[in-house]
């Protein structure tokens, strides 16, 4: 396994529209393993393939939520290949979002609170489930990446400019 470099905004590759995965082969399995290692190392809770420069409709997530309140985080890796959102609730929810491609910057984004989604896992099994909470938000955030969209695109121009200014300031200080 390997830790892959994560593309950061304003890298134009992040604006690529990813294309469907056509075969779940050894190369894809290796990419999935590398994406998990990269995501855990960062650390983050979601990573789309395009964030490591691969324009395929593939993403990995692990909310790493503790099993009991205040307990240690428990790993529960999830792989989404060719995910689709079939339906979204009218009810919206707001989460403070961040992104490994927009390092250390966070902002509230409003999205459908629940989504019905379908996807293939790493064994090629098809899932169709209704997701809610952070899982629903994270999937929508990661699926945006497959369309070349970043969470900052959901903000007002004023908020986005402020956030990017802070990012540039942090980069200069580093
Ligand atoms: Ni992201």
């Amino acid at each position: 396994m390997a830790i892959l470099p994560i593309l950061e905004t304003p890298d134009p590759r992040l604006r690529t529209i990813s294309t469907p995965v056509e075969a779940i082969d050894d190369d894809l399995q290796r990419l999935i393993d590398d994406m998990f290692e990269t995501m855990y190392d960062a650390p983050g809770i979601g990573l789309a393939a395009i964030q490591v420069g691969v324009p395929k409709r593939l993403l990995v997530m692990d909310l790493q939520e503790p099993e009991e309140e205040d307990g240690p985080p428990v790993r529960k890796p999830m792989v989404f290949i060719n995910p689709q959102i079939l339906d979204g609730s009218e009810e919206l929810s707001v989460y403070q979002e961040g992104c490994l491609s927009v390092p250390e910057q966070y902002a509230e984004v409003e999205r459908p609170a629940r989504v019905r989604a379908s996807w293939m896992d790493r064994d090629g099994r098809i899932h169709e489930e209704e997701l809610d909470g952070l899982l629903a938000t994270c999937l929508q955030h990661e699926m945006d990446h497959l369309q070349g969209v970043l969470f900052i695109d959901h903000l007002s121009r004023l908020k986005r400019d402020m956030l990017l200014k802070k990012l540039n300031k942090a980069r200069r200080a580093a």
Side-chain angles (χ1 to χ4, degrees):
M1 293 211 283
I3 294 169
L4 306 171
I6 298 175
L7 305 183
E8 293 183 4
T9 190
D11 192 312
R13 287 173 289 178
L14 288 169
R15 298 308 187 173
T16 313
I17 297 192
S18 295
T19 57
V21 171
E22 278 169 11
I24 302 179
D25 53 16
D26 288 351
D27 285 346
L28 194 82
Q29 298 289 357
R30 198 169 314 123
L31 175 62
I32 290 168
D33 288 340
D34 288 348
M35 283 172 63
F36 274 115
E37 196 176 1
T38 303
M39 182 186 78
Y40 289 130
D41 176 71
I45 60 171
L47 187 71
I50 190 59
Q51 292 180 276
V52 292
V54 180
K56 288 209 158 110
R57 294 185 62 82
L58 161 68
L59 52 97
V60 299
M61 284 169 32
D62 189 338
L63 303 184
Q64 300 164 66
E65 283 175 327
E67 234 153 49
E68 53 202 70
E69 225 183 312
D70 299 328
V74 176
R75 282 190 179 177
K76 196 176 158 201
M78 296 181 79
V79 177
F80 296 78
I81 297 169
N82 298 339
Q84 279 185 289
I85 294 202
L86 308 171
D87 200 12
S89 64
E90 272 177 40
E91 188 198 330
L92 304 175
S93 66
V94 177
Y95 273 95
Q96 179 101 338
E97 295 190 22
C99 180
L100 296 175
S101 295
V102 191
E104 316 269 325
Q105 306 303 319
Y106 304 91
E108 287 189 339
V109 178
E110 198 174 43
R111 301 181 186 271
R114 289 178 307 284
V115 292
R116 172 157 286 280
S118 72
W119 68 93
M120 258 189 314
D121 64 24
R122 70 182 303 161
D123 300 315
R125 276 191 299 258
I126 294 169
H127 297 252
E128 188 182 320
E129 284 177 38
E130 176 137 332
L131 307 176
D132 62 8
L134 182 57
L135 196 55
T137 289
C138 192
L139 181 67
Q140 292 174 80
H141 172 121
E142 298 309 327
M143 283 187 65
D144 271 357
H145 280 296
L146 307 182
Q147 298 302 121
V149 171
L150 300 174
F151 81 95
I152 53 174
D153 301 338
H154 292 280
L155 308 178
S156 69
R157 162 163 282 221
L158 180 70
K159 277 192 185 158
R160 181 167 57 246
D161 287 350
M162 276 169 54
L163 186 148
L164 291 172
K165 226 178 250 172
K166 269 172 56 196
L167 175 61
N168 284 331
K169 206 171 153 194
R171 278 175 173 152
R172 279 197 304 273

